[in-house]
């Protein structure tokens, strides 16, 4: 099964600015799972250091070393929303309509 995150920030290394675009990957997600990144009519497959996305209107998601994390704490969400808005000049768009569908699509969710 393929998971698609329509608006995500992808960090390929700490020395390069993040890529912004649509990301897809096949489940199960592992540390070696390649991500297909589509941005500005270019598509390529890479392993990422970290991915950040707004999963729902009140939750952020991270993928780090093949593990997914869900951030639902209000203060942390507000901080992440402001930080991504500063970096991008806009807010990330939610990838899912509700938290249950986000949890269903992503595996190994660890709430922080």
């Amino acid at each position: 099964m393929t998971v698609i995150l329509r608006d995500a920030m992808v960090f390929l290394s700490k020395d390069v600015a993040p890529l912004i675009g649509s990301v897809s990957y096949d489940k199960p997600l592992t540390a070696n799972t390649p991500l297909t990144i589509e941005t500005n009519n270019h598509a390529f497959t890479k392993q990422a250091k970290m991915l950040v996305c707004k999963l729902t209107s009140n939750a952020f998601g991270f993928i780090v070393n093949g593990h997914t994390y869900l951030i639902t704490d209000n203060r942390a969400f507000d901080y992440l929303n402001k930080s991504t808005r500063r970096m991008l000049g806009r807010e990330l768009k939610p990838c899912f309509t509700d938290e249950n569908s986000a949890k269903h699509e992503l595996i190994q969710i660890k709430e922080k």
Side-chain angles (χ1 to χ4, degrees):
M1 177 178 202
T2 301
V3 175
I4 300 172
L5 305 171
R6 302 248 179 248
D7 193 21
M9 296 174 62
V10 182
F11 296 83
L12 299 176
S13 80
K14 65 180 182 176
D15 302 322
V16 178
L19 298 173
I20 311 305
S22 177
V23 175
S24 60
Y25 63 89
D26 291 327
K27 289 178 17 179
L29 182 64
T30 69
N32 297 322
T33 299
L35 304 177
T36 300
I37 305 160
E38 295 180 34
T39 179
N40 296 334
N41 299 324
H42 291 73
F44 52 93
T45 303
K46 291 271 189 184
Q47 289 181 327
K49 296 288 182 194
M50 182 171 71
L51 176 141
V52 179
C53 65
K54 187 184 282 186
L55 288 174
T56 66
S57 60
N58 61 354
F60 268 88
F62 288 84
I63 297 176
V64 181
N65 295 326
H67 296 283
T68 56
Y69 298 91
L70 176 67
I71 308 296
T72 57
D73 175 75
N74 286 339
R75 288 181 67 190
F77 176 85
D78 289 341
Y79 173 78
L80 290 166
N81 206 33
K82 287 176 186 175
S83 297
T84 56
R85 190 176 357 175
R86 263 194 315 270
M87 290 177 75
L88 301 176
R90 66 171 178 84
E91 289 186 13
L92 286 171
K93 297 175 186 138
C95 296
F96 301 100
T97 55
D98 63 77
E99 192 172 311
N100 287 334
S101 61
K103 284 183 178 179
H104 176 72
E105 288 298 322
L106 299 175
I107 61 168
Q108 303 166 341
I109 291 286
K110 298 175 184 175
E111 294 202 33
K112 294 285 180 183

